[in-house]
Amino acid sequence: MSKVKNLKKVTLTVYIDKEDAETIDKLTKMEGTSRSAIIRKLVRAYARRHLKESS
């Protein structure tokens, strides 16, 4: 993870269906990263998109 100031730790429980779980597993293998890193990227992308739409 890049060095970012003012980090805040948030614990999430994410329930996803089997197909989405398999997709995340494929991405972890392709990118050589962890599930949590993939989920962080998804959350960031969603938040950015949502914030652009609301402004």
Side-chain angles (χ1 to χ4, degrees), residues 4-5 30-31 34-36 43 46 49:
V4 180
K5 293 182 181 180
M30 287 173 43
E31 293 191 13
S34 65
R35 286 181 184 167
S36 59
V43 169
Y46 176 82
R49 200 171 335 122

Side-chain angles (χ1 to χ4, degrees), residues 30-54:
M30 287 173 43
E31 293 191 13
T33 187
S34 65
R35 286 181 184 167
S36 59
I38 297 294
I39 293 169
R40 271 195 305 275
K41 288 180 183 180
L42 291 170
V43 169
R44 284 188 195 121
Y46 176 82
R48 285 185 190 123
R49 200 171 335 122
H50 182 71
L51 290 172
K52 284 181 184 177
E53 290 174 3
S54 66

